[in-house]
Amino acid sequence: VQAKHNEVVAHVNAEYDQFVAVGKRAEAQGNYPAAVTAYQNAKRLKPSPEIELMIGAAINKQAIAQAALKGEVEKRKVEGAIAQEMIKNKELEVAITAKKSEYDARYKLAQQQMAAKQYEQAAKAYREAAAYLQTQEALAGIKAAEAELNRAKVAAEVAEQKRKADEKRLGTAAEKLAEGRSAIAAGD
């Protein structure tokens, strides 16, 4: 299950990285609509504050480019509005960075707990990570931890049933032995 989880995470990360690379190339070429589309595809795979900022920046650049076509006055109006928006975005970036840091800490803890086979705690830590950032990795981690937890519970139940059966069998054997001793003693 952990191997499958790692495979899903690697696949999602690779696709995400491809979309981000396509978006950056499109942005560098001034093709802002294509950049926005690529970043939005990346966001669908792995929502994050960083990708939100990339989308916002590409949209702003597209707005400036379109305003420039209408003239210098329009371009300056748009640039002024974007400057105000960027001030708000800086505040959001600080909050986003804190959120990402919390996510990373919870996710790392969950991975450590999975490695230590502490599945219940791992599932809890993955859920906490997902509460900060809803990512495919965290969701896959929750599923993997819960599957391992269920597997461990079933194994414990089977072991308990085996222990009870062995106990019953030993009890029956002890009773038979006692009966045999009583019969021998009675026959003397």
Side-chain angles (χ1 to χ4, degrees), residues 21 30 44 82 84 97 101 104 152 171 187:
R44 282 185 197 93
I82 289 173
Q84 289 177 346
T97 301
S101 177
D104 289 342

Side-chain angles (χ1 to χ4, degrees), residues 31-150:
N31 187 352
Y32 303 114
V36 169
T37 300
Y39 293 148
Q40 287 172 336
N41 286 333
K43 178 184 171 184
R44 282 185 197 93
L45 290 172
K46 188 172 155 184
S48 71
E50 293 83 9
I51 199 68
E52 291 289 345
L53 293 173
M54 289 180 197
I55 292 168
I59 289 171
N60 289 342
K61 289 176 183 176
Q62 181 179 4
I64 291 170
Q66 288 174 340
L69 296 175
K70 295 180 183 176
E72 192 61 32
V73 173
E74 187 66 25
K75 180 182 174 192
R76 287 178 196 233
K77 280 185 195 177
V78 170
E79 287 175 338
I82 289 173
Q84 289 177 346
E85 186 179 318
M86 290 180 84
I87 292 169
K88 291 178 190 173
N89 284 350
K90 284 293 180 193
E91 294 168 0
L92 285 174
E93 277 185 57
V94 171
I96 287 169
T97 301
K99 207 174 193 185
K100 176 80 167 105
S101 177
E102 286 295 326
Y103 168 85
D104 289 342
R106 298 295 194 282
Y107 189 81
K108 183 177 180 181
L109 175 64
Q111 289 179 314
Q112 291 168 348
Q113 290 169 330
M114 280 294 284
K117 298 185 184 214
Q118 298 170 337
Y119 304 120
E120 197 165 326
Q121 296 90 337
K124 181 181 179 218
Y126 279 126
R127 280 190 207 91
E128 289 172 353
Y132 284 102
L133 287 177
Q134 192 78 209
T135 65
Q136 293 295 325
E137 295 96 342
L139 297 176
I142 292 168
K143 287 180 185 176
E146 288 175 347
E148 290 297 333
L149 182 60
N150 288 336

